[in-house]
Amino acid sequence: MADDHDDRPAYDPSEPTPPEREPPYRQTAPQSAFTGTQVTIGCLVSVVGLAVIFGLPLVLA
């Protein structure tokens, strides 16, 4: 990880002049691709949740 910091320009907060080049883009956790199994599980959880939210009150009414 030490190599990641070597690419950044030096920055002195007391100096009002910005660095001569832009710092590299931040690399945060990118959106990963979903597998078909994960999508299926997510859809099933959603269907069960909707059934509980809307179906249970209808059954009890």
Side-chain angles (χ1 to χ4, degrees):
M1 280 232 194
D3 296 333
D4 293 341
H5 300 293
D6 295 339
D7 189 30
R8 297 196 83 131
Y11 175 69
D12 182 8
S14 63
E15 178 65 39
T17 307
E20 48 209 46
R21 65 180 177 90
E22 281 188 39
Y25 288 113
R26 281 183 54 187
Q27 301 237 342
T28 57
Q31 183 68 29
S32 9
F34 293 110
T35 64
T37 303
Q38 291 172 325
V39 171
T40 304
I41 291 172
C43 288
L44 289 174
V45 169
S46 296
V47 168
V48 169
L50 289 171
V52 169
I53 290 173
F54 294 108
L56 193 59
L58 289 174
V59 169
L60 295 176

